Amino acid sequence: MTSSGIVIVGAGQAAAVAAHALREHGYGGRITMLGRERHRPYERPPLSKAVLVAADEPRLDVLTHESWAHSKIDLLSGSDAVALDLVRRHVRLADGQVLAYETCLLATGGEAVTLASVPPGRPGVHYIRTLDDARRLRAALEGSPRVAILGGGFLGLEIAHSALSAGASVTVLERAASLLDRFVPRETSAWLASQMRAAGARLLLGASCSGVHSLPRGRSRLSTSSGDLEVDEVVVAIGLSPNDALARDAGLQIAPGGGILVDASCRTSNEHVFACGDCTSQRRPGQAAPTRLESWQNANEQARTAAAAMQGAPLPVPPVPWFWTDQGRHNVQMLGLPASDLEYVRRGDPANDKVLWIGHRACVPLHGIAINAGADLRALRPLFERGRPVRLEDFQLDATNLRAWAKHMQADVATTASITSL
Ligand SMILES: Cc1cc2nc3c(=O)[nH]c(=O)nc-3n(C[C@H](O)[C@H](O)[C@H](O)COP(=O)(O)OP(=O)(O)OC[C@H]3O[C@@H](n4cnc5c(N)ncnc54)[C@H](O)[C@@H]3O)c2cc1C
């Protein structure tokens, strides 16, 4: 058995940021990182964007060359951790090696949810989670193929836009009657659909796929509620399932909806095991149930929190959740979390492709959505952090200077607070 200080299972975004943060906190012991893939930790957001269309593959490393060297990580790539022993405090690898740990960090991310009728690995079938997946799809997009995308979530829509710019003819099938109806108001959903159609995709809403039949040369025939569809490539983008099996089998607590349950410091139900990133489900202020956030920001922030907690350093203040997606030439950002009971007010006109929505409960901003207005959304961030009511009628007026309004609303809150405390 090899003895190790901190063993990080997973070698993705969260793992790399955590290892770097541990060194920044002064951890001088051994850091061993186990990665199933044969790559150094890399950024996944470009996999559905630039990697599919840019002339040259973009730089994807999570850590710069200098930060990687500074972090002194023993990376065991191509290593699959298959068992975690909480009593003996060791991790067993698929090749039989056993690594002891003082503290273990699980940063195992997630896997694409698969459809039994479209198994991964079949010719002409794509699931996009890894760099190798994206490279395969990029190669398949050469020669203007006909592509069906199953799933009209953010990932499916991004891939559709990329495939269109690579010259493919694209059909997107979404089971729900509108796009992303759990995450955005109807107006935003309608705008996303109009962008998809304007870019040249056939968008089938309320459309289900009941079967996929293999045809010669990797082609497929899809039986859909809108009729049969013959395509060269099928991309399935119907969600993510957290990689929590290792934790579950070890006896760690798993959240009811999946994901390794962690507290505010990213500690699991075992004091020597932490977890961060897409594999977790975390209790958050204002949320009745633990939430899973599958985002780049969450992976980074939880990694920094876990590293601080492991070193007994003060925990960073948890940020308001933030997410971005590129939809063709448009940038969409979201701040806060959606909820079914929010009311949305709008500033700007979707027809002009620059809009800001605030989703609120009793005038307290809880969910912001910006189309090509990321800087404006950033200016509103303090209002989301404060969680106090604001005067939304002024927000909607074109004549209102947004930054001045946001500052005024903060000051207003401060004044109210000081008056109340008298
Ligand atoms: C195509 C794509 C586009 C995205 N676009 C955006 C975007 O625009 N905006 C945004 O905010 N977020 C985006 N995301 C999400 C973001 O990339 C993820 O939230 C982030 O990568 C999560 O980091 P992680 O470290 O938790 O997991 P990952 O980056 O998935 O890393 C986990 C790693 O652990 C390895 N692993 C798992 N189990 C084991 C094991 N037992 N042993 C060894 N290794 C193991 C996995 O192979 C993987 O390499 C996108 C994701 C994808 C896939």
Side-chain angles (χ1 to χ4, degrees):
M1 184 187 310
T2 321
S3 124
S4 301
I6 292 174
V7 171
I8 303 180
V9 184
Q13 184 81 37
V17 172
H20 185 253
L22 281 165
R23 294 299 187 213
E24 294 288 287
H25 284 295
Y27 179 70
R30 186 164 179 192
I31 300 179
T32 308
M33 189 183 283
L34 310 172
R36 182 179 285 162
E37 295 180 66
R38 295 195 177 274
H39 302 285
R40 266 198 198 169
Y42 62 88
E43 304 259 356
R44 282 171 214 273
L47 301 186
S48 45
K49 310 174 182 76
V51 170
L52 297 182
V53 290
D56 299 310
E57 192 168 282
R59 196 192 146 270
L60 298 173
D61 291 338
V62 175
L63 298 181
T64 61
H65 186 70
E66 295 73 35
S67 300
W68 181 260
H70 167 75
S71 302
K72 294 195 177 62
I73 299 162
D74 291 337
L75 173 64
L76 303 184
S77 57
S79 297
D80 208 344
V82 292
L84 173 65
D85 187 324
L86 301 175
V87 177
R88 295 187 185 86
R89 282 206 238 167
H90 66 224
V91 177
R92 187 156 49 79
L93 308 188
D95 66 5
Q97 266 192 83
V98 174
L99 298 180
Y101 63 79
E102 285 156 25
T103 312
C104 177
L105 176 64
L106 300 174
T108 47
E111 300 289 331
V113 173
T114 56
L115 279 177
S117 55
V118 201
R122 210 177 76 174
V125 169
H126 303 268
Y127 287 84
I128 308 300
R129 182 69 196 170
T130 67
L131 177 56
D132 297 344
D133 296 337
R135 285 178 175 162
R136 260 193 303 275
L137 178 59
R138 183 190 165 103
L141 289 176
E142 284 168 14
S144 311
R146 295 161 301 169
V147 178
I149 295 176
L150 306 185
F154 284 120
L155 184 61
L157 297 180
E158 280 193 349
I159 295 170
H161 277 291
S162 297
L164 286 164
S165 20
S169 70
V170 174
T171 304
V172 178
L173 285 102
E174 167 54 47
R175 202 169 45 178
S178 57
L179 292 176
L180 288 151
D181 55 358
R182 282 184 303 125
F183 301 100
V184 297
R186 195 162 293 175
E187 277 185 336
T188 323
S189 169
W191 179 86
L192 289 163
S194 70
Q195 292 308 311
M196 199 71 271
R197 292 188 169 118
R202 187 169 164 227
L203 175 61
L204 302 177
L205 295 173
S208 51
C209 173
S210 54
V212 180
H213 312 280
S214 296
L215 299 174
R217 292 193 298 282
R219 286 174 299 124
S220 305
R221 184 182 305 118
L222 278 61
S223 307
T224 83
S225 50
S226 308
D228 280 3
L229 184 64
E230 196 178 304
V231 293
D232 303 300
E233 311 293 333
V234 183
V235 182
V236 186
I238 56 168
L240 182 92
S241 156
N243 276 333
D244 56 18
L246 194 67
R248 191 188 295 267
D249 293 348
L252 292 174
Q253 222 178 326
I254 303 296
I260 306 166
L261 192 64
V262 293
D263 65 12
S265 66
C266 289
R267 197 185 294 266
T268 68
S269 51
N270 180 285
E271 60 175 324
H272 303 291
V273 182
F274 291 75
C276 56
D278 284 5
C279 64
T280 66
S281 191
Q282 190 172 33
R283 290 205 174 85
R284 285 164 219 277
Q287 299 292 315
T291 42
R292 281 206 295 118
L293 296 182
E294 297 152 13
S295 75
W296 180 86
Q297 181 220 34
N298 180 60
N300 292 336
E301 296 299 335
Q302 284 192 336
R304 292 187 191 109
T305 298
M310 283 158 121
Q311 286 303 96
L315 301 184
V317 176
V320 177
W322 173 82
F323 172 83
W324 94 98
T325 167
D326 289 338
Q327 297 293 317
R329 61 194 166 85
H330 302 296
N331 173 263
V332 180
Q333 300 192 21
M334 297 208 284
L335 197 58
L337 295 175
S340 56
D341 64 336
L342 298 189
E343 279 184 52
Y344 284 83
V345 291
R346 188 186 84 205
R347 181 184 167 87
D349 185 350
N352 298 333
D353 296 333
K354 184 168 183 200
V355 203
L356 205 51
W357 283 272
I358 291 183
H360 66 98
R361 193 179 291 130
C363 293
V364 177
L366 293 168
H367 187 218
I369 306 169
I371 295 174
N372 299 319
D376 289 346
L377 190 63
R378 237 182 346 269
L380 302 188
R381 182 181 281 271
L383 303 180
F384 285 79
E385 287 165 352
R386 280 169 186 260
R388 304 282 298 265
V390 295
R391 276 198 298 282
L392 288 162
E393 54 278 16
D394 297 343
F395 161 79
Q396 295 176 79
L397 298 174
D398 284 343
T400 302
N401 175 311
L402 197 71
R403 283 171 181 71
W405 173 79
K407 281 214 167 85
H408 182 61
M409 287 300 104
Q410 289 172 58
D412 220 10
V413 169
T415 315
T416 318
S418 62
I419 290 171
T420 327
S421 61
L422 282 176

